Amino acid sequence: MTPQEILSKHRLNYSELRKSSISYLSDVWLTEKYAIKIYGTNNDGFEKEVWFYYKAAPSYAPAMIDYGDDYIILERIYGNSIYRNWHKLSDEVREDYARQIAEIITDITSRGYEGAEHLFPIPDLWEKHIKNRIMLLCTELDAQNKIPHGLSLSVREFTEEYWQILEKHEYGLCYTDLRFDNLLTDSNGKVWLLDYETLCAAPKDYILDTLYRMGTSPLWDKNEENVRDGATLMELLKKYAPALFDYPDMDKRLALYSLIYELDLLRYYPNDALAIKNIKDAVENF
């Protein structure tokens, strides 16, 4: 269905309708009051969001107005993205935003998902799941000459040495896209978190994976200020969400998680200089 047909079906009035320029896993259309997300073939993301908005309905997420076979209608939130603005904020405001973000991610990781286990399958052994993904990626990249051979060997050695540190974990619901551009602040200073298509069940510290990479050198944003901003937010979260960091060898855990992302990038961007730098940093800093 087109967004016009969806609005008509649900008898929702509007005077303006435009497509969002920042949609990623779904098409997003905006009116004055509503945001319409049309998922197409992304059925997994659709089911997760319908479940989360309907069952969880947290105060930090937009309210779901209605949904159909492959779309949802949400209230539109007006606000400013934290993206590119974090470093411009006062220390007091950043502290307040960090506290709210910590409360949000702590709430997500503490939520159960009874009745929706099919949406959030859990690997039998998390540590072997991560190890196997890294090793398989190395094998594929080696075979296609998409990674320097010496670096692939270093990744394998690092993984073999440290994969067992992932044995200690407590599963929770995990938001895997914790980036500044998914965080909005409204005129009252309230922080909102958007886009729940990539929710999964994972150890609670896995929610920090994207933020960790944003604070090193993310491929999608080479702006040094934003890299520093990610690192600053990570330090503040240690203060306001300490339980998420309560794992031995936390830096090594996050390094192992980051390897999956960076290695996967090399499948599409062979021998990319930034991805290779990030991989080297991950395995050589210990």
Side-chain angles (χ1 to χ4, degrees):
M1 296 179 68
T2 67
Q4 295 89 342
E5 290 171 335
I6 291 170
L7 289 163
S8 176
K9 176 181 177 179
H10 294 272
R11 299 181 180 180
L12 298 174
N13 297 322
Y14 67 97
S15 59
E16 297 180 5
L17 177 65
R18 65 177 179 86
K19 188 174 183 180
S20 172
S21 61
I22 60 172
S23 55
Y24 173 49
L25 294 176
S26 56
D27 288 335
V28 179
W29 294 80
L30 302 173
T31 75
E32 308 93 304
K33 295 182 178 180
Y34 311 110
I36 305 165
K37 300 186 70 170
I38 303 176
Y39 295 81
T41 59
N42 181 21
N43 189 60
D44 184 54
F46 167 68
E47 290 189 41
K48 288 179 179 180
E49 288 217 298
V50 168
W51 174 85
F52 187 78
Y53 285 119
Y54 181 72
K55 291 291 187 180
S59 61
Y60 49 79
M64 185 169 70
I65 308 301
D66 213 333
Y67 67 96
D69 292 336
D70 67 344
Y71 64 85
I72 61 174
I73 306 171
L74 303 169
E75 68 167 327
R76 181 176 176 182
I77 303 299
Y78 284 88
N80 296 312
S81 171
I82 293 181
Y83 185 65
R84 296 192 184 281
N85 290 322
W86 181 263
H87 60 280
K88 301 176 184 178
L89 303 173
S90 68
D91 290 344
E92 181 180 4
V93 173
R94 279 192 291 189
E95 190 96 4
D96 179 57
Y97 288 173
R99 177 189 56 78
Q100 292 186 62
I101 294 168
E103 291 175 354
I104 290 170
I105 62 178
T106 299
D107 178 74
I108 291 174
T109 57
S110 65
R111 287 183 178 272
Y113 43 90
E114 293 79 8
E117 290 84 358
H118 64 291
L119 296 177
F120 309 107
I122 297 176
D124 290 336
L125 292 171
W126 174 256
E127 61 275 14
K128 286 191 175 181
H129 169 70
I130 296 298
K131 175 188 175 182
N132 290 341
R133 286 183 66 185
I134 293 173
M135 295 303 190
L136 286 171
L137 282 167
C138 284
T139 298
E140 177 185 334
L141 294 171
D142 280 335
Q144 299 175 13
N145 295 314
K146 293 182 176 181
I147 187 174
H149 183 63
L151 182 58
S152 175
L153 288 176
S154 296
V155 170
R156 292 173 185 272
E157 291 170 359
F158 177 84
T159 304
E160 286 288 359
E161 183 172 359
Y162 293 117
W163 68 273
Q164 289 180 315
I165 67 172
L166 298 175
E167 288 181 348
K168 180 185 177 182
H169 57 257
E170 180 184 359
Y171 278 106
L173 201 59
C174 184
Y175 183 93
T176 63
D177 204 14
L178 190 60
R179 298 182 284 127
F180 279 139
D181 49 355
N182 279 332
L183 293 160
L184 290 183
T185 57
D186 64 21
S187 58
N188 295 316
K190 177 180 176 177
V191 174
W192 298 80
L193 182 63
L194 310 178
D195 296 338
Y196 297 86
E197 293 106 315
T198 62
L199 283 173
C200 68
K204 293 186 176 183
D205 67 323
Y206 193 56
I207 202 169
L208 301 171
D209 172 48
T210 304
L211 186 60
Y212 169 81
R213 286 185 280 101
M214 192 170 70
T216 53
S217 186
L219 182 63
W220 65 81
D221 188 351
K222 300 180 182 180
N223 185 300
E224 291 186 4
E225 286 183 330
N226 291 328
V227 172
R228 290 196 298 270
D229 292 347
T232 302
L233 178 55
M234 183 72 98
E235 289 302 310
L236 287 170
L237 290 180
K238 290 179 182 178
K239 175 180 178 180
Y240 290 107
L244 296 178
F245 297 83
D246 189 24
Y247 292 88
D249 298 305
M250 188 67 188
D251 288 344
K252 295 184 183 72
R253 291 175 68 95
L254 292 175
L256 284 164
Y257 295 155
S258 73
L259 285 174
I260 293 175
Y261 177 83
E262 304 293 353
L263 291 168
D264 192 57
L265 279 179
L266 291 181
R267 297 171 66 203
Y268 306 98
Y269 307 98
N271 293 295
D272 178 84
L274 184 54
I276 287 174
K277 175 187 179 298
N278 292 341
I279 293 169
K280 286 182 177 178
D281 289 344
V283 301
E284 294 177 359
N285 284 342
F286 303 100

